[in-house]
Amino acid sequence: MSSLPYAGLNLGYFVGDNDKNVAENRRIMRKSLNLQQTRMITADQVHSNKVSVINEKSNISGWEDPRRSIRLTDALITNLQNLTLVITVADCVPVLIYDTKNKVIAAVHAGWKGTGLGIVKRTLDQMKDSFKSNLENCQVGIGPSIGICCYSVDIKVIDFFRSKFSYWREIFNLEKNTFGKLNLVEANKRQLIEAGVPAQNISSSDICTSCNNDLFYSFRKENGVTGRQIAFISLNNKTL
Ligand SMILES: [Zn+2]
């Protein structure tokens, strides 16, 4: 329903697109994937490391209503059936986690700030605390996001990672000490593996949203004015 610069199937509210178009796009997406029977839940996504566990008491209605997202959070976890956790992105890294034994799922939004603040690590910690997840049983999918080929960052970002991670040099391609390119997918993989997720359980699309702007929205490539694609995960007690 959306027109340029949101043309395609923009699924993100609050990016400048018309709310009615986004609501219709969301209805189209849900119907085409036969997800009408599941409740779909989104996060506010404020580039934090806040994690929210979704249970029956949570506000879990209103995929079409922009005011119904879970406030001030960047990761959603649940063990409820027929509930779809949704992350909206346009360059940031979407990380989907599935504990195959305890049947717990998580969807994480990891931009540079959330990644630097350890959002993936905190999500895994919460899965362990709330659901006794053994990370060896977790399968992880990493969706299309900006690649190291296109993700130039400045000294502010480099310093942030340098202050947090001993391996920071391994996730940058430094051109100078004050400028370089960040491998955001690798940064998140490092957090997953260090926390205890086996490397062979992590699948990454390795598709750069900026290089493939004909297929994906890219915040960088489109100078900050663009739509959002989504990554989603749900536990379903029957095959869709
Ligand atoms: Zn690229």
Side-chain angles (χ1 to χ4, degrees), residues 67-85:
R67 292 156 299 186
R68 293 300 188 110
S69 61
I70 302 294
R71 293 291 167 224
L72 306 175
T73 193
D74 286 87
L76 304 169
I77 305 174
T78 197
N79 66 346
L80 296 180
Q81 297 265 330
N82 298 316
L83 193 150
T84 302
L85 306 179

Side-chain angles (χ1 to χ4, degrees), residues 148-149 151-152 158 172-181:
I148 191 170
C149 40
Y151 198 30
S152 297
I158 296 168
F172 284 95
N173 202 345
L174 290 179
E175 286 157 31
K176 295 177 192 163
N177 267 341
T178 56
F179 183 79
K181 287 179 171 161

Side-chain angles (χ1 to χ4, degrees), residues 83-121:
L83 193 150
T84 302
L85 306 179
V86 180
I87 290 296
T88 63
V89 283
D91 288 345
C92 288
V93 181
V95 182
L96 303 176
I97 306 168
Y98 174 34
D99 173 350
T100 58
K101 183 118 184 286
N102 292 1
K103 306 293 180 197
V104 182
I105 53 174
V108 184
H109 165 248
W112 73 262
K113 199 156 193 189
T115 302
L117 290 170
I119 181 86
V120 158
K121 168 79 165 60

Side-chain angles (χ1 to χ4, degrees), residues 145-151 207-212:
S145 44
I146 195 162
I148 191 170
C149 40
C150 296
Y151 198 30
I207 295 170
C208 171
T209 41
S210 176
C211 286
N212 295 279

